[in-house]
Amino acid sequence: GFSLERVPWAEHGYYYTAKDTPGKHPYHEAGVYYIQEPSAMAPAAYLTRQMADGAGERILDLCAAPGGKSTQIAAAMAGRGTLISNEIHPARAKILSENIERMGIANAVVTNETPQRLAEHFSEYFTRIMVDAPKDVNIVRSSMLEKQITDPEEKAALPKYYAEPETDPRYLKKKKSNVVIAHGNLEQ
């Protein structure tokens, strides 16, 4: 057994001690649990905080590899609704797919698309969107996404994902739905 202590902000998250090796346990390989940093659990917990269950939910995890947030979101959905776990990089999408399969998540679809292609097919479709971009992408503050950006210099400073309406994740969501943008190096 493991010595576990509950992570306060994640319903199904637990700290383990340095002497424990849960990644080497057969339960890990069987998909009973997924290991991720406790701080990485906060965005998915926030995204699903007011969700009674997954019924009727259509959730997009835009930058999903390796799958920690997607598996956490899927647990909150309890097998209901639809989860699209997307990863733009093919090699990382393969790892994501393996983790979704290992965890036995039946209501998830793994895609390997650009935000532009997703927007072509899923305009105003999602009830919730998770964007946890890799640390090497310069993400703007979420407050900047809340306004229409018209200044050419400000627009030029935006990452390519958010420079045009067709690539902005807000255009993939239904009206009055949630978008959570998480990033390790968020600029003030």
Side-chain angles (χ1 to χ4, degrees):
F2 304 120
S3 245
L4 300 176
E5 181 184 331
R6 187 140 186 253
V7 174
W9 58 87
E11 182 180 357
H12 302 289
Y14 296 90
Y15 295 106
Y16 58 89
T17 65
K19 66 178 180 155
D20 293 323
T21 55
K24 295 180 180 180
H25 197 282
Y27 285 168
H28 179 260
E29 194 59 36
V32 174
Y33 55 84
Y34 188 96
I35 299 170
Q36 66 177 343
E37 288 291 320
S39 61
M41 297 176 192
Y46 184 76
L47 181 74
T48 59
R49 75 192 183 289
Q50 294 176 341
M51 189 172 73
D53 61 24
E57 294 285 349
R58 294 185 305 271
I59 300 176
L60 170 65
D61 187 352
L62 187 60
C63 310
K69 288 173 189 63
S70 279
T71 59
Q72 186 179 351
I73 292 166
M77 294 176 78
R80 298 180 214 56
T82 303
L83 172 62
I84 305 289
S85 299
N86 184 68
E87 177 54 49
I88 195 169
H89 301 289
R92 290 176 52 84
K94 183 177 185 294
I95 294 166
L96 170 63
S97 183
E98 290 167 356
N99 282 324
I100 294 293
E101 183 178 351
R102 178 177 62 84
M103 298 301 292
I105 302 169
N107 62 322
V109 175
V110 174
T111 57
N112 175 220
E113 292 294 345
T114 64
Q116 297 91 329
R117 293 263 306 159
L118 291 172
E120 288 173 20
H121 299 282
F122 294 104
S123 180
E124 296 186 11
Y125 177 77
F126 295 102
T127 56
R128 299 168 194 266
I129 299 175
M130 169 64 63
V131 182
D132 186 8
K135 290 178 179 157
D136 60 345
V137 175
N138 293 320
I139 292 293
V140 295
R141 294 189 320 261
S142 60
S143 61
M144 290 179 73
L145 294 176
E146 297 302 318
K147 63 179 180 172
Q148 184 67 20
I149 298 172
T150 56
D151 178 59
E153 287 183 26
E154 190 176 4
K155 194 170 184 178
L158 291 174
K160 66 179 183 174
Y161 274 14
Y162 305 116
E164 299 296 333
E166 64 271 12
T167 61
D168 184 331
R170 292 177 304 153
Y171 289 88
L172 294 167
K173 73 178 183 74
K174 293 178 68 113
K175 290 175 178 39
K176 296 186 179 181
S177 59
N178 297 330
V179 177
V180 172
I181 299 176
H183 193 285
N185 296 328
L186 206 57
E187 295 294 324
Q188 292 297 332

